[in-house]
Amino acid sequence: MNRYTSHVYTKFENLKPQQLIDDAQLVKTDMVNYPKVHIAPKSGLLNDPNGLVYYNELYHIFYQACPNGPFHGMKSWNLVTTKDFLTYEDHGIVLNVTEEYENFGIFSGGAIIVDSKLCLLYTANYRDPNNEYKRKAYQVLATLDENYNVVSKRIIREPDETLHTEHFRDPVAIDDFNVLIGLQDVNNQGQLAVMGYSQKDYLGDSKLSFIKNSWNLDSFMFECPNLFKLEDKNILVFSPQGVEAQDKYTFNNIHDVVYSISDKFFIEEMMWDNPIIKQLDHGFDFYAPQVFNDGERTLMIGWQGVPDTIYPGDEQYRWSQMLTTMRELTLVNGNLLQKPIDEYQQLETNWISFEREVKLESKVFKLKFSASEEFELVIGNDSYNIRLVRQGNEISLDRSKCQYLVNEKYGNVRYVNVEEDNCELEIIVDMSSIEIFINEGKYVMTSRFFIDSLTTLKLSGSDTSQFSYLKAIKYKEG
């Protein structure tokens, strides 16, 4: 069967409403994996976070969605909004396929405010049914009204096969005149570039300029770029695809996320002056993050998954993937630190100090502990577990003894080297998700893990340890 003529590419407007209702009811029966404190789809697939923006006193979180099933197909953008990251309003699909140049879906991008109106930058995915479904990528600006209806769409850049292949996507605004984008060049190498315009709001003549760098990354595509400032430094975050593992510490997933810091970056020169690349997350499941500023903080949320992966329960419960927690970013001594935002503290219940063991009553909790020497954390039951262990300066996360295994050909253990003798850890466990923040988020390990029941938490080697169950975030329908 030709995938491009199959049900996975059914337009949103042609989906059967009753099927979506039935799938959403089925999702509600998942008491094993569906998260309580993370954003996840009502049904179908959740993919990259998109269009993050603080606008009209609300946080707007768009994400790629295929609501008709747990698979990658006809992508649209779903929207949730929140004032406090505790209660959310789900507005459903807001940006979907309406034009011929986006006939096979709407890919990732960012948001920008133009004349007090919310506008979305995105990649339109066109495939030519008369030419073996060959792809072309158009960059588009959509304008929304106050009720999140799309009132206009405008192509701001057409594909240029002399500069890049069909892989040309994920635009985000740098300012009123420039847009950062990821691509694969004509030599099939990953690149970052800037689309520069002669007039505000991406009007007039445009020029595509590649960012010159010395990273020496052997990647076939750079996805989901971000460019922002912290402490007067320029920071690039992006997702290079196809980089081979260099050792057991770096590039061991299907694809990973990296960052680089520059003292100076000028649009006119397009030169990135730092050859150093650092991995942003050291776990199994973290990809395509997006960064934005709410006026006071620099925030980031990512996709808690990786491409080309089917997770346990996807088909059974008709949903797939989730977002990470929202994280505040800071820059300390040349390291990009990430910590869960303070608002999540309101989800905490009673903090309990403990020694060595906790009998678990829920799969949704936060754990904090400090350790000046080696430690071992085991979460699971009598038959299955996930382990976090420090030996010397190495911390390993081992999910080889989970009930269901994922992406085994990429290994079941992830490692990170820590420079400090003392470790302070904050860990959020949410059904099938674990997010580990070490030393104020200098090192982070984000992962999914699959064990039907968690009955025991065991911790040895800690100096102090505390534990709290977490309340669930709430939703109201838009």
Side-chain angles (χ1 to χ4, degrees), residues 391-422:
Q391 293 180 314
N393 284 345
E394 182 178 271
I395 294 179
S396 62
L397 179 64
D398 184 347
R399 62 180 186 184
S400 64
K401 291 183 171 55
C402 286
Q403 191 169 354
Y404 310 98
L405 301 179
V406 180
N407 285 337
E408 285 188 88
K409 69 178 181 179
Y410 293 95
N412 291 315
V413 186
R414 293 292 179 267
Y415 302 89
V416 61
N417 255 326
V418 297
E419 299 174 335
E420 302 83 4
D421 292 331
N422 190 64

Side-chain angles (χ1 to χ4, degrees), residues 246-259:
Q246 299 173 355
D247 50 42
K248 66 180 180 179
Y249 302 106
T250 54
F251 299 112
N252 285 282
N253 293 320
I254 297 174
H255 305 305
D256 289 281
V257 183
V258 299
Y259 72 94

Side-chain angles (χ1 to χ4, degrees), residues 174 177-181 183 192-196 207-211 227 265 267 270:
I174 298 176
F177 294 88
N178 296 284
V179 175
L180 179 68
I181 193 164
L183 58 89
L192 298 178
V194 172
M195 301 187 299
K207 179 183 178 182
L208 187 70
S209 302
F210 288 55
I211 296 178
L227 175 61
F265 176 69
I267 293 293
M270 295 298 295

Side-chain angles (χ1 to χ4, degrees), residues 64-107:
Q64 280 190 355
C66 288
N68 58 321
F71 44 69
H72 293 267
M74 186 69 80
K75 301 288 180 67
S76 302
W77 282 21
N78 198 96
L79 170 64
V80 295
T81 57
T82 182
K83 289 184 177 181
D84 55 14
F85 298 101
L86 306 173
T87 300
Y88 295 81
E89 185 169 359
D90 192 328
H91 301 269
I93 298 298
V94 169
L95 185 64
N96 60 3
V97 172
T98 60
E99 309 299 324
E100 180 62 22
Y101 56 73
E102 56 192 17
N103 65 342
F104 274 79
I106 290 170
F107 283 179

Side-chain angles (χ1 to χ4, degrees), residues 228-230 291-293 297-300 327-329:
F228 56 98
K229 280 185 174 289
L230 281 173
V291 180
F292 73 113
N293 190 284
R297 305 173 293 183
T298 298
L299 302 176
M300 181 185 75
R327 302 168 182 180
E328 181 175 1
L329 301 182

Side-chain angles (χ1 to χ4, degrees), residues 20 71 75 105 110 120 133 159 205 325 340 354 379 398 446 452:
L20 296 179
F71 44 69
K75 301 288 180 67
L120 304 177
Y133 293 92
D205 296 333
T325 53
F354 72 97
I379 301 171
D398 184 347
T446 303
D452 286 349

